[in-house]
Amino acid sequence: MSSVVVFFSLPMLVASALKELRVRPGQDATLQCWGPRDAHITLLEWSRPELSSQGYVFFFQDQRSYENYQHESFKGRVQLRDSSMKDGDVTVILRNVSVSDTGTYECQITTSSTRNGERVVKEFKHSINLTVTINISAGHNVILPCRAPNIDSNSKAVVEWSRADLGKDYVLLYRDEQPDPEEQHPSFKNRVDLQDRQMKDGDVSLILKDVTTADSGTYECRVFRRTNRRMRANLETDPITTISLNVAPEDGVSRGHAGLVAALSLFAVIAASAIFIKLKPPSPPLSFPSVCIKNILCL
Ligand SMILES: *[C@@H]1O[C@H](CO)[C@@H](O)[C@H](O)[C@H]1NC(C)=O
Ligand SMILES: *[C@@H]1O[C@H](CO)[C@@H](O)[C@H](O)[C@H]1NC(C)=O
Ligand SMILES: *[C@@H]1O[C@H](CO)[C@@H](O)[C@H](O)[C@H]1NC(C)=O
């Protein structure tokens, strides 16, 4: 068929959308994204790139959303803020977030409009980093959840909990069915363990006792099958879970640090969105004349 489809490049003004968002577990996250005000949105895809093989965060086409295409963990939790997408608002609300929702969210919009008798298809992309931060006061115990499907105590797994800013030392290195104190950072001695050493259902959550403000940071959980070589496993691989922990001083203690952390948490990067517009070369010569009437699609 002689379709004249032009991928038209026009700088799009996206209302200043957040590129980073921090929320606490149990809250709702508003993932902002706007398409153009005046074009028909034919397709809206919200995805998390690292989960995209298992489905979308939210998928909308032909005036409706498709739950079948959604990743299991997002079913029933995501909806458009404005179901009419007025003014190109394709923001979605993600309900009841948990730490495993931390990650990059991508909004991709495809629009269709007609210009001088030609169908104009455009694509827009915007991404947001969502961080679900656990907030706790000093002196308490906290559980940092992590689940490694297909792992249990029989699978001789090596579990690594680490914090990038601590360099080579682990928060907890668990192997041979017990914690290995040798490579552990001194500040975690006798304060950490697996919540369940049986690792039932792949539960490799970390329990961290008597937290202090110095425990604030980004924790990473990795799991490996044990190999014969007793070498340090590879911290370069992507973690299963990344958890942001914010420890506020105990009541009555100076709030200076908490204030700073809160200020940093509120710091929002307001910037124009990264927009990638696909530019397709003009179609090759048509095998038969294409008749285009003004304002009518020539397909
Ligand atoms: C929120 O999610 C947690 C699991 O992350 C679940 O246990 C809880 O029931 C959910 N709450 C609501 C109100 O859906
Ligand atoms: C979002 O997260 C990705 C992956 O962790 C990172 O590469 C990127 O720089 C982050 N973007 C912002 C705006 O923080
Ligand atoms: C974190 O918790 C402390 C008290 O535990 C509270 O004062 C502070 O406002 C909380 N911060 C955020 C960002 O929720």
Side-chain angles (χ1 to χ4, degrees), residues 174-202:
Y174 192 89
R175 64 181 165 197
D176 302 329
E177 279 105 66
Q178 59 188 343
D180 179 343
E182 226 164 80
E183 296 177 77
Q184 186 175 45
H185 191 273
S187 75
F188 294 105
K189 287 244 165 8
N190 304 318
R191 288 206 298 134
V192 290
D193 205 341
L194 290 184
Q195 182 190 20
D196 175 10
R197 288 194 176 190
Q198 300 309 309
M199 304 183 195
K200 191 167 178 292
D201 299 327

Side-chain angles (χ1 to χ4, degrees), residues 26 77 95-98:
R77 290 206 295 140
R95 306 228 174 266
N96 189 22
V97 299
S98 66

Side-chain angles (χ1 to χ4, degrees), residues 24 27 133-138 140 246-249 251 255 258 261-263 265-266:
R24 294 201 302 281
Q27 290 187 321
T133 305
I134 295 178
N135 186 18
I136 188 172
S137 301
H140 290 86
N246 174 31
V247 182
D251 296 339
R255 299 186 52 83
V261 171
S265 301
L266 288 172

Side-chain angles (χ1 to χ4, degrees), residues 28-96:
D28 297 343
T30 301
L31 304 170
Q32 298 183 344
C33 186
W34 282 272
R37 289 167 157 265
D38 48 358
H40 175 59
I41 294 169
T42 52
L43 177 62
L44 167 64
E45 296 155 285
W46 273 99
S47 59
R48 264 186 69 183
E50 64 270 42
L51 300 180
S52 58
S53 63
Q54 299 150 57
Y56 287 93
V57 172
F58 186 77
F59 184 93
F60 185 100
Q61 190 173 28
D62 302 329
Q63 326 287 345
R64 56 165 286 209
S65 59
Y66 288 79
E67 200 171 71
N68 312 358
Y69 296 170
Q70 257 178 321
H71 185 280
E72 274 307 313
S73 73
F74 294 111
K75 283 186 178 165
R77 290 206 295 140
V78 191
Q79 68 187 79
L80 284 167
R81 176 166 67 180
D82 178 353
S83 58
S84 68
M85 298 187 182
K86 189 166 179 294
D87 295 333
D89 183 0
V90 295
T91 299
V92 289
I93 310 222
L94 172 60
R95 306 228 174 266
N96 189 22

Side-chain angles (χ1 to χ4, degrees), residues 167-274:
K168 290 178 64 171
D169 289 346
Y170 288 101
V171 172
L172 174 70
L173 175 60
Y174 192 89
R175 64 181 165 197
D176 302 329
E177 279 105 66
Q178 59 188 343
D180 179 343
E182 226 164 80
E183 296 177 77
Q184 186 175 45
H185 191 273
S187 75
F188 294 105
K189 287 244 165 8
N190 304 318
R191 288 206 298 134
V192 290
D193 205 341
L194 290 184
Q195 182 190 20
D196 175 10
R197 288 194 176 190
Q198 300 309 309
M199 304 183 195
K200 191 167 178 292
D201 299 327
D203 180 3
V204 292
S205 302
L206 181 81
I207 179 155
L208 173 55
K209 293 173 199 151
D210 194 15
V211 295
T212 70
T213 54
D215 292 331
S216 294
T218 302
Y219 291 76
E220 296 179 335
C221 164
R222 291 179 175 80
V223 177
F224 301 89
R225 303 242 171 218
R226 192 174 60 189
T227 59
N228 289 329
R229 285 184 297 168
R230 274 182 67 91
M231 60 178 283
R232 180 190 170 81
N234 194 349
L235 275 180
E236 273 103 63
T237 58
D238 283 338
I240 301 175
T241 307
T242 301
I243 297 173
S244 162
L245 178 69
N246 174 31
V247 182
E250 267 177 289
D251 296 339
V253 183
S254 157
R255 299 186 52 83
H257 183 64
L260 176 65
V261 171
L264 287 173
S265 301
L266 288 172
F267 178 73
V269 180
I270 309 284
S273 303

Side-chain angles (χ1 to χ4, degrees), residues 19-20 104 129:
K19 297 185 89 176
E20 286 189 78
T104 301
N129 286 353

